[in-house]
Amino acid sequence: MKNVKQTVGIDVSKLTLDVYLKTTQVHQQFSNDSKGFKQLIAWCNKQKVNLKETLFCFEHTGWYCLLLSYFLYENQYAYCCVNAIEIKRSMGFRRGKSDKADAWEIASYAWLRREELVPSTPPAKKLIELQRMMSLREQLVKQLTASKNLYKGMQGLVNDEVSDVSIVILKENMAQLNSQITAIEKGMNELIKQDQTMTTNYKLSKTVKGVGMVLAVQMLLHTQNYTRFEGSRQFSAYCGLVPYAYQSGTSIHGRNKIHAISDRKMKSLLSMSAISAIQHDSELKLYYQKRVEEGKPKMVVLNIIRNKIVSRVFATVNRGTPYVEINKFYA
């Protein structure tokens, strides 16, 4: 970002914002709410900061930084929401930790990279609502799984399930959780229908075999409705599916490796999707069998299929037409 004369580092926590001005080296703390945001801007003006030549920067802290992101974006203040690991590794070794020091580090990071950083854009509010509903669904599914496991464990110890209090309560709990999961899924579908682009992309992604409701929704969320990544390769790298070279000089020539830093949730969902696709997609089933027979490790082939699924989804969404299986490809 060019013409940046000031960077403002913000350490975001649940209740407070610690703010540090890089060039004047001034620190101040504000509340993490709409009142605090207005006080922050008023304080910057009092410090004679030209907001048109200022870049606000803070770490991605999930729900805590969302309101701040929307406030800055809606008032046309340039800001960057950066991965915390990127900032931490860029600053090198340090001792101790405080909110003020963190704000200084963020301001310094933004200042050093002010010409490289690209202003961020917050996700659409419907996507945030969808993400909130998906998070609730995940918790309900976990509770249901725990109740089912407990129920199975108790079955062998009970003679009469009808009169046993624990079994009766567990059955009622599982029925209620099933009902709640159904309700939240219905709510998610209704929310998706409110946005035509989301509806189209959601339906198109589900035409790819191996992609169900959960994966389709998660891909909407993680790609911000297919606007966050330039292509499938970039998204695959984000999910931890792309192997990178491991080589140095003349002595180190290791095999290509997948980087440890990745979105493990998406990676796990794509693994389950790949296993399902192998069973139900004749093309991928033939491909998997052929590569395994050739001696390729099963996990390597599975990773290739995960990448194929990602590629198919992106191609389908970009093309705007449902995916069609080509059965003659390996005939």
Side-chain angles (χ1 to χ4, degrees):
M1 182 177 171
K2 297 180 180 179
N3 301 322
V4 174
K5 303 296 177 61
Q6 175 70 277
T7 58
V8 181
I10 306 176
D11 182 63
V12 181
S13 62
K14 182 179 180 180
L15 300 177
T16 60
L17 304 174
D18 280 85
V19 182
Y20 192 92
L21 300 182
K22 173 59 181 175
T23 58
T24 55
Q25 299 183 358
V26 182
H27 168 262
Q28 188 60 269
Q29 189 178 83
F30 304 94
S31 59
N32 189 2
D33 53 29
S34 57
K35 181 180 178 181
F37 304 155
K38 293 176 182 177
Q39 290 174 345
L40 164 61
I41 298 302
W43 177 72
C44 287
N45 288 324
K46 187 177 180 181
Q47 297 294 322
K48 298 181 180 180
V49 173
N50 186 346
L51 294 173
K52 293 182 179 179
E53 298 176 341
T54 298
L55 177 64
F56 295 86
C57 186
F58 48 89
E59 296 175 345
H60 191 285
T61 54
W63 303 111
Y64 298 158
C65 66
L66 271 178
L67 292 178
L68 176 61
S69 298
Y70 283 119
F71 174 83
L72 294 173
Y73 180 75
E74 290 169 358
N75 288 278
Q76 299 182 348
Y77 300 128
Y79 80 94
C80 283
C81 185
V82 186
N83 189 305
I85 295 178
E86 184 176 343
I87 296 177
K88 182 178 180 180
R89 293 192 173 184
S90 70
M91 301 309 296
F93 179 78
R94 73 168 192 172
R95 299 178 187 273
K97 175 179 171 58
S98 69
D99 292 339
K100 180 180 178 180
D102 289 344
W104 172 83
E105 280 193 354
I106 296 168
S108 299
Y109 168 87
W111 179 256
L112 292 172
R113 291 161 178 77
R114 60 189 182 277
E115 295 185 359
E116 307 167 11
L117 291 173
V118 178
S120 301
T121 302
K125 291 185 177 180
K126 280 188 172 60
L127 284 174
I128 295 299
E129 179 67 13
L130 185 62
Q131 184 177 6
R132 188 171 64 85
M133 296 173 79
M134 177 55 86
S135 297
L136 175 58
R137 182 191 177 278
E138 289 175 356
Q139 292 300 317
L140 293 173
V141 169
K142 287 180 181 179
Q143 293 176 31
L144 179 60
T145 302
S147 295
K148 284 181 177 179
N149 292 336
L150 184 59
Y151 173 73
K152 289 179 181 178
M154 286 187 174
Q155 274 185 312
L157 305 174
V158 176
N159 294 323
D160 186 6
E161 293 189 11
V162 177
S163 60
D164 188 85
V165 177
S166 299
I167 294 295
V168 170
I169 292 174
L170 278 173
K171 284 183 176 180
E172 291 175 353
N173 183 44
M174 289 188 290
Q176 184 179 21
L177 287 170
N178 276 314
S179 176
Q180 291 173 340
I181 292 170
T182 301
I184 198 70
E185 289 177 351
K186 182 180 179 181
M188 289 164 59
N189 285 323
E190 292 297 325
L191 181 62
I192 291 172
K193 289 178 182 178
Q194 293 176 17
D195 187 293
Q196 184 58 48
T197 307
M198 283 175 61
T199 303
T200 302
N201 292 341
Y202 174 71
K203 289 181 177 179
L204 287 172
S205 64
K206 287 183 69 177
T207 62
V208 178
K209 287 192 177 180
V211 179
M213 183 274 292
V214 174
L215 180 57
V217 171
Q218 290 289 9
M219 289 195 72
L220 275 178
L221 296 173
H222 286 77
T223 63
Q224 293 185 13
N225 199 12
Y226 298 91
T227 61
R228 182 181 176 190
F229 299 94
E230 295 179 0
S232 60
R233 176 77 177 182
Q234 195 178 77
F235 181 69
S236 291
Y238 163 81
C239 295
L241 309 180
V242 178
Y244 294 94
Y246 188 76
Q247 182 271 334
S248 179
T250 58
S251 58
I252 299 177
H253 294 279
R255 63 184 178 83
N256 293 354
K257 296 181 179 180
I258 292 172
H259 201 278
I261 298 177
S262 62
D263 191 313
R264 296 185 180 181
K265 179 186 291 184
M266 283 304 305
K267 191 174 182 179
S268 175
L269 286 172
L270 286 165
S271 295
M272 293 186 286
S273 173
I275 293 170
S276 175
I278 291 169
Q279 297 172 347
H280 300 98
D281 188 311
S282 58
E283 179 188 343
L284 291 180
K285 184 176 182 179
L286 287 170
Y287 176 83
Y288 178 81
Q289 292 173 345
K290 181 180 178 181
R291 297 306 295 270
V292 170
E293 288 171 0
E294 290 173 353
K296 203 79 170 175
K298 291 183 178 180
M299 286 306 300
V300 173
V301 183
L302 190 69
N303 189 60
I304 295 172
I305 292 175
R306 288 187 297 199
N307 278 289
K308 282 181 176 289
I309 291 171
V310 171
S311 178
R312 286 178 176 183
V313 171
F314 270 78
T316 301
V317 170
N318 291 334
R319 190 172 58 244
T321 56
Y323 177 79
V324 179
E325 181 182 357
I326 306 174
N327 294 317
K328 295 181 181 180
F329 189 78
Y330 289 104

